[in-house]
Coordinates of all heavy atoms in Angstrom, one line a residue:
L15 N -19.4 24.1 1.9 CA -19.9 23.0 2.7 C -19.5 21.6 2.1 O -19.2 20.7 2.9 CB -21.4 23.0 2.8 CG -22.1 24.1 3.6 CD1 -23.6 24.0 3.6 CD2 -21.6 24.0 5.1
V16 N -19.3 21.5 0.8 CA -19.0 20.2 0.2 C -17.7 19.6 0.7 O -17.7 18.4 1.1 CB -19.1 20.3 -1.3 CG1 -18.4 19.0 -2.0 CG2 -20.5 20.4 -1.8
P17 N -16.6 20.3 0.7 CA -15.4 19.8 1.2 C -15.5 19.2 2.6 O -14.9 18.2 3.0 CB -14.3 20.9 1.1 CG -14.9 21.8 0.0 CD -16.4 21.7 0.2
F18 N -16.1 20.0 3.5 CA -16.2 19.6 4.9 C -17.1 18.4 5.1 O -16.8 17.5 5.8 CB -16.7 20.7 5.8 CG -15.7 21.8 6.0 CD1 -15.7 23.0 5.2 CD2 -14.7 21.6 6.9 CE1 -14.8 24.0 5.4 CE2 -13.8 22.6 7.1 CZ -13.8 23.8 6.4
S19 N -18.2 18.3 4.3 CA -19.1 17.1 4.4 C -18.4 15.9 3.9 O -18.5 14.8 4.4 CB -20.4 17.4 3.7 OG -20.1 17.6 2.3
G20 N -17.5 16.1 2.8 CA -16.8 15.0 2.3 C -15.8 14.4 3.3 O -15.7 13.2 3.4
K21 N -15.1 15.2 4.0 CA -14.1 14.8 5.0 C -14.8 14.1 6.2 O -14.3 13.2 6.7 CB -13.3 16.0 5.5 CG -12.4 16.5 4.4 CD -11.6 17.7 4.9 CE -10.7 18.3 3.9 NZ -10.0 19.5 4.4
A22 N -16.0 14.6 6.5 CA -16.7 14.1 7.7 C -17.2 12.7 7.4 O -17.6 12.0 8.4 CB -17.8 15.0 8.1
Q23 N -17.3 12.3 6.2 CA -17.8 10.9 5.9 C -16.9 9.8 6.5 O -17.4 8.7 6.8 CB -17.9 10.8 4.4 CG -19.0 11.6 3.8 CD -19.1 11.4 2.3 OE1 -18.3 10.7 1.7 NE2 -20.0 12.1 1.6
I24 N -15.7 10.1 6.7 CA -14.7 9.1 7.2 C -14.5 9.4 8.7 O -14.0 10.5 9.0 CB -13.4 9.1 6.4 CG1 -13.6 8.7 5.0 CG2 -12.4 8.2 7.1 CD1 -12.4 8.8 4.1
D25 N -14.8 8.5 9.5 CA -14.5 8.6 11.0 C -13.0 8.3 11.2 O -12.7 7.1 11.3 CB -15.4 7.7 11.8 CG -15.3 7.9 13.3 OD1 -14.4 8.7 13.7 OD2 -16.0 7.3 14.0
T26 N -12.2 9.3 11.4 CA -10.8 9.1 11.5 C -10.4 8.5 12.9 O -9.3 8.1 13.1 CB -10.0 10.4 11.3 OG1 -10.5 11.4 12.2 CG2 -10.2 10.8 9.8
D27 N -11.4 8.5 13.8 CA -11.1 7.9 15.1 C -11.4 6.4 15.2 O -11.0 5.8 16.1 CB -12.0 8.6 16.2 CG -11.6 10.1 16.4 OD1 -10.4 10.4 16.3 OD2 -12.5 10.9 16.7
K28 N -12.0 5.9 14.1 CA -12.3 4.5 14.1 C -11.2 3.8 13.4 O -10.8 4.1 12.3 CB -13.6 4.2 13.3 CG -14.0 2.8 13.3 CD -15.3 2.6 12.5 CE -16.5 3.1 13.2 NZ -17.8 2.8 12.5
N56 N -10.4 -3.0 5.4 CA -11.6 -2.6 6.0 C -11.5 -1.2 6.6 O -10.5 -0.9 7.2 CB -12.1 -3.6 7.0 CG -12.3 -5.0 6.5 OD1 -13.4 -5.3 6.0 ND2 -11.3 -5.8 6.4
W57 N -12.6 -0.5 6.5 CA -12.7 0.8 7.2 C -12.8 0.6 8.7 O -12.4 1.4 9.5 CB -13.9 1.6 6.7 CG -13.8 2.1 5.3 CD1 -14.5 1.7 4.2 CD2 -13.0 3.2 4.8 NE1 -14.2 2.4 3.1 CE2 -13.2 3.3 3.4 CE3 -12.1 4.0 5.4 CZ2 -12.6 4.2 2.6 CZ3 -11.4 5.0 4.6 CH2 -11.7 5.1 3.3
N58 N -13.4 -0.6 9.1 CA -13.5 -1.0 10.5 C -12.7 -2.2 10.7 O -11.8 -2.6 9.9 CB -15.0 -1.1 10.9 CG -15.7 -2.1 10.0 OD1 -15.1 -2.8 9.2 ND2 -17.0 -2.2 10.2
D62 N -16.9 -3.6 6.6 CA -17.0 -2.4 5.9 C -15.8 -2.3 4.9 O -14.8 -1.7 5.3 CB -17.1 -1.2 6.9 CG -17.4 0.1 6.2 OD1 -17.7 0.1 4.9 OD2 -17.4 1.2 6.8
L63 N -16.0 -2.7 3.7 CA -15.0 -2.9 2.7 C -14.3 -1.5 2.4 O -15.0 -0.6 2.0 CB -15.5 -3.5 1.5 CG -14.5 -3.6 0.3 CD1 -13.3 -4.6 0.7 CD2 -15.2 -4.1 -1.0
E64 N -13.0 -1.4 2.6 CA -12.3 -0.2 2.0 C -11.7 -0.6 0.7 O -12.0 0.1 -0.3 CB -11.2 0.1 3.0 CG -10.4 1.3 2.5 CD -9.2 1.7 3.3 OE1 -9.0 1.1 4.4 OE2 -8.4 2.6 3.0
G93 N -14.5 0.2 -1.8 CA -15.8 0.4 -1.2 C -15.9 1.8 -0.5 O -15.0 2.3 0.0
A94 N -17.2 2.3 -0.6 CA -17.4 3.6 0.1 C -17.5 3.4 1.6 O -17.8 2.3 2.1 CB -18.8 4.2 -0.4
Y95 N -17.2 4.4 2.3 CA -17.2 4.4 3.8 C -18.6 4.3 4.3 O -19.6 4.9 3.8 CB -16.5 5.6 4.4 CG -16.5 5.6 5.9 CD1 -15.6 4.9 6.6 CD2 -17.5 6.3 6.6 CE1 -15.5 4.9 8.0 CE2 -17.5 6.4 8.0 CZ -16.5 5.6 8.7 OH -16.5 5.7 10.0
G96 N -18.8 3.5 5.4 CA -20.1 3.4 6.1 C -21.1 2.5 5.5 O -20.8 1.5 4.9
E97 N -22.4 3.0 5.6 CA -23.5 2.2 5.1 C -23.6 2.1 3.6 O -24.3 1.2 3.1 CB -24.8 2.7 5.7 CG -24.8 2.6 7.3 CD -26.1 3.1 7.8 OE1 -27.0 3.6 7.0 OE2 -26.3 3.1 9.1
D98 N -23.0 3.0 2.9 CA -23.0 3.0 1.5 C -22.3 1.8 0.9 O -21.1 1.7 1.2 CB -22.4 4.3 0.9 CG -22.5 4.5 -0.6 OD1 -22.9 3.5 -1.2 OD2 -22.2 5.5 -1.1
K99 N -22.9 0.9 0.2 CA -22.3 -0.3 -0.3 C -21.8 -0.2 -1.7 O -21.4 -1.2 -2.3 CB -23.3 -1.5 -0.1 CG -23.7 -1.8 1.3 CD -22.5 -2.0 2.2 CE -23.0 -2.3 3.7 NZ -21.8 -2.5 4.6
S100 N -21.8 1.0 -2.3 CA -21.3 1.1 -3.6 C -19.8 0.9 -3.7 O -19.1 1.1 -2.8 CB -21.7 2.5 -4.2 OG -21.0 3.5 -3.4
T216 N -3.4 11.1 4.2 CA -3.6 11.7 2.9 C -3.7 13.2 3.1 O -3.5 13.7 4.2 CB -4.9 11.2 2.3 OG1 -6.0 11.8 2.9 CG2 -5.0 9.6 2.4
Q218 N -6.2 14.8 3.0 CA -7.5 15.2 3.6 C -7.8 14.6 5.0 O -8.5 15.1 5.8 CB -8.7 14.8 2.7 CG -8.7 15.6 1.4 CD -9.9 15.3 0.5 OE1 -10.5 14.2 0.7 NE2 -10.2 16.2 -0.4
W219 N -7.2 13.4 5.2 CA -7.5 12.7 6.5 C -6.3 11.8 6.9 O -5.5 11.4 6.0 CB -8.8 11.9 6.4 CG -8.9 11.0 5.3 CD1 -9.5 11.3 4.1 CD2 -8.4 9.7 5.2 NE1 -9.4 10.2 3.2 CE2 -8.8 9.2 3.9 CE3 -7.8 8.8 6.0 CZ2 -8.5 7.9 3.4 CZ3 -7.4 7.5 5.6 CH2 -7.8 7.1 4.3
S220 N -6.3 11.4 8.1 CA -5.3 10.4 8.7 C -6.1 9.4 9.5 O -7.0 9.7 10.2 CB -4.3 11.1 9.5 OG -3.5 12.0 8.8
K221 N -5.7 8.1 9.4 CA -6.4 7.1 10.0 C -5.5 5.9 10.4 O -4.5 5.6 9.7 CB -7.5 6.5 9.1 CG -8.6 5.7 9.7 CD -9.7 5.4 8.7 CE -10.9 4.7 9.3 NZ -10.5 3.4 9.8

Side-chain angles (χ1 to χ4, degrees):
L15 289 178
V16 166
F18 287 98
S19 62
K21 292 179 184 179
Q23 290 179 359
I24 297 176
D25 185 355
T26 56
D27 293 329
K28 181 181 291 186
N56 297 270
W57 292 108
N58 55 8
D62 188 4
L63 176 67
E64 179 184 355
Y95 178 82
E97 297 181 359
D98 185 353
K99 299 302 180 183
S100 62
T216 73
Q218 294 186 340
W219 52 265
S220 295
K221 197 172 187 297

